Amino acid sequence: MTAPTAKGIATRGFATNSPEARFEPFEFERRDVGPNDILIDIEYAGICHSDIHLAKDEWHDLMPAMYPMVPGHEIVGRVTQVGDAVTKFSVGDVAGIGCFIDSCRECVACEFGVEQYCMNGMAMTYNGTEMDRTTPTYGGYSKHYVIDENYALKVTADGDLSGVAPLLCAGITTYSPLKKFGVGPGQRVGVVGLGGLGHMAVKIAKAMGAEVTVFSTSPGKAEDAGKLGADNFVVTSDPENLAPLANSFNLIIDTVSANHDLNPYINMVGLNGVLVVVGMPELPATIHQASLIMGNKSIAGSLIGGIAETQEMLDFCAEHGVVADVEVISPDRIEEAYDRTIKADVRYRFVIDMANA
Ligand code: NAP
Ligand code: ZN
Ligand code: ZN
């Protein structure tokens, strides 16, 4: 495959062309490095379940798939070129890219540093366009990325960067609501789904000082949950396991990617507590209003995080030694990684080695 309108820096990646298609080598070009841009040689790209939803066009009504699609929005690599006006990065620095690469910079959301909610629509790292609304974006399953330095993150960790890549989506998506709702010592946090986001939520909530309970459909993950730092592990398939936990959590974060019932988790949220949904299954959920009314409970949604908060999260994780538990794969194993992730058999993030691809 080759991109239709190519000009700039030649690169290559791995693209899919339809919901059923396999990934194939894909040659395309990044834009030339402008005054505010940096060129990153990508070393690792995490596989987020959102990549799978998008590649398989499961979010068709919300964000239709744009093919050819090069997914990947958990990116770390080394800066190899900087534009004349760049101040934040030097050649040789480690840089990260998350879920968006630009935004309008003028709206109230951009002004308040929550660019992910840009009123005019952020430029997604892939399956979107640049702010010109015409140039397609291709993600991190590729060798290089050119990005405005204001939308790239500084990574201070060095050495093995594979566990850092997933922080750029799974890390910030869980850090942001945990921080917003004041998670800390003395609080009880529940994490639903022990996958990529879930295992980051466990590590980050523990680093914030909370007591953490994992809710999982996979009994085989119990031992891992303890190693990740969880205090308790509850298998959700048996309702009897959940009944004693009614009204007992300050916050429950639901990271489940598949359609499921939210009501058991609302029941376990305590007085004034909150159920934060970050997982985005294909179908809408049904809830019983009374279950929120009785106990002044809330449901909140949360989308990744702004650039400043993503930097704050990276610095927090560096300070607390938090990285993702990863399985590093070569690009010829993307399909296998997708299949295993869908089967909840990911421990706990697949990361593609792009440096050697
Ligand atoms: P993941 O690694 O596949 O983890 C999802 C976990 O959900 C699985 O490991 C599994 O954990 C549980 N699960 C899977 N199928 C289930 C089912 N049928 N019933 C109950 N639980 C099930 O996915 P991820 O990358 O963490 O992403 C999770 C979701 O968050 C996806 O929908 C993704 O698109 C979304 N997301 C949202 C944002 C945001 O900004 N809001 C950002 C990134 C991703 P157990 O084995 O422990 O049950
Ligand atoms: Zn993601
Ligand atoms: Zn904006």
Side-chain angles (χ1 to χ4, degrees), residues 284-298:
T286 303
I287 59 146
H288 201 299
Q289 288 88 330
S291 64
L292 291 173
I293 293 167
M294 304 296 171
N296 196 29
K297 303 177 184 184
S298 310

Side-chain angles (χ1 to χ4, degrees), residues 33-57:
V33 175
N36 298 303
D37 290 337
I38 59 173
L39 171 64
I40 298 173
D41 273 18
I42 297 175
E43 294 191 6
Y44 294 102
I47 295 181
C48 177
H49 207 116
S50 301
D51 298 351
I52 302 174
H53 292 305
L54 286 164
K56 296 185 180 297
D57 205 15

